[in-house]
Amino acid sequence: MLKKLLLENILFLDIETVPQKPNFNNLDENTQMLWDLKSQYQRKEEISAEDFYNRAGIWAEFGKIICISVGYFTFKGDVKNFRVTSFSGVEEQLLEEFKQLLEEHFSKAKHLLCAHNGKEFDFPYIARRMVINAIELPYKLNLFGKKPWEVPHLDTMELWKFGDFKHYTSLKLMAHVLGIPSPKEDMDGSMVKDVFYKDNDLDRIVTYCELDVVTTAQVFLRLRNEDLLAEDEIKKV
């Protein structure tokens, strides 16, 4: 079935998120209490809500999006390119820009969104942050009333599960076992908060996010048993 999908109809994406505030003490008292309650089931007894706040970015209620990177295939005759671009900075603005991209270029029934672990993280996180920012959901993220087979989302991790509901595989591990060359990353997801709040280096985060988009596309190609993208086929726009 994957082979029947046209690559040019798929928008590959990845997001980077951070806690809404640099530190737990920057939160108001009510938000601190709610974070304490929300994180209890994840924390060990000896870890305080304050110490656990470094992980707040993974919850849409306590985090925010600082970058959405996207990639899409273009074809001109036999020439294939994969174009990558990003929306970053102020969350409300980048969400509006991403929504505009969806509505102007990826709004038709044939269009699909693809991310690694996207169904559990990227897609619901973007939708929740849009609601919080009072942005009307674009059609591709509004799942109300849709049957499972009508949801326009692909997930490379779900495709790798082959029906195994308890199986989690990171993008990095999938790329490794599928023989995809590892991109020259100088950071990992655990570093995003400090790079954003302490180093004030959003450009570094954008580069990291874009590399994950390229890797997701490469994994998708391997799942279709197709040739990987060559370096000169990847274009930054």
Side-chain angles (χ1 to χ4, degrees):
M1 288 295 292
L2 285 183
K3 284 273 193 177
K4 294 182 179 180
L5 299 176
L6 296 179
L7 289 173
E8 58 265 39
N9 291 336
I10 304 172
L11 183 70
F12 297 85
L13 66 93
D14 184 55
I15 67 174
E16 297 302 328
T17 66
V18 295
Q20 290 175 14
K21 302 292 183 180
N23 299 293
F24 179 77
N25 291 330
N26 298 124
L27 301 174
D28 62 71
E29 186 176 337
N30 190 44
T31 305
Q32 288 182 355
M33 178 196 67
L34 291 169
W35 169 248
D36 189 356
L37 292 171
K38 178 73 174 179
S39 60
Q40 274 182 356
Y41 78 100
Q42 287 268 350
R43 291 184 281 120
K44 296 179 180 179
E45 290 185 5
E46 66 272 17
I47 301 177
S48 69
E50 180 176 357
D51 289 338
F52 201 69
Y53 187 67
N54 279 340
R55 298 194 62 191
I58 67 174
W59 282 278
E61 299 87 351
F62 297 95
K64 63 181 179 180
I65 300 171
I66 56 172
C67 179
I68 302 178
S69 294
V70 301
Y72 52 93
F73 286 91
T74 61
F75 293 87
K76 190 173 183 180
D78 294 331
V79 179
K80 174 179 66 179
N81 284 313
F82 187 71
R83 301 182 180 276
V84 183
T85 192
S86 295
F87 310 100
S88 62
V90 178
E91 185 182 54
E92 183 178 1
Q93 180 178 339
L94 70 85
L95 288 173
E96 290 281 11
E97 291 171 347
F98 176 68
K99 177 184 175 181
Q100 184 178 358
L101 172 72
L102 292 184
E103 292 183 336
E104 292 183 0
H105 301 287
F106 289 90
S107 63
K108 296 181 180 178
K110 64 183 180 180
H111 291 132
L112 300 167
L113 308 182
C114 181
H116 189 77
N117 198 28
K119 291 186 177 182
E120 288 289 328
F121 185 67
D122 303 73
F123 305 139
Y125 200 112
I126 295 171
R128 290 168 185 153
R129 293 308 300 174
M130 282 187 171
V131 171
I132 289 170
N133 281 277
I135 298 171
E136 187 173 350
L137 291 177
Y139 180 76
K140 292 297 179 181
L141 290 175
N142 192 345
L143 306 186
F144 180 76
K146 287 187 172 71
K147 298 177 177 64
W149 56 88
E150 295 173 335
V151 175
H153 298 163
L154 296 169
D155 187 327
T156 48
M157 192 180 83
E158 182 183 71
L159 293 170
W160 184 246
K161 286 182 178 182
F162 292 99
D164 182 355
F165 290 102
K166 64 183 181 299
H167 195 70
Y168 175 83
T169 307
S170 70
L171 179 62
K172 190 171 186 177
L173 177 56
M174 273 195 72
H176 174 72
V177 299
L178 293 175
I180 298 168
S182 179
K184 297 180 177 63
E185 298 177 345
D186 68 342
M187 61 181 291
D188 59 49
S190 66
M191 300 167 61
V192 172
K193 174 180 178 290
D194 284 347
V195 172
F196 182 73
Y197 281 120
K198 293 183 180 180
D199 300 340
N200 194 30
D201 194 349
L202 182 57
D203 288 343
R204 185 179 172 196
I205 296 170
V206 170
T207 298
Y208 168 69
C209 194
E210 291 179 347
L211 288 173
D212 275 356
V213 170
V214 173
T215 301
T216 301
Q218 299 279 47
V219 165
F220 190 79
L221 289 173
R222 284 287 283 109
L223 290 171
R224 286 162 53 110
N225 200 29
E226 295 182 2
D227 292 338
L228 296 175
L229 288 161
E231 191 171 336
D232 62 355
E233 292 178 321
I234 301 169
K235 312 291 184 182
K236 166 76 174 177
V237 294

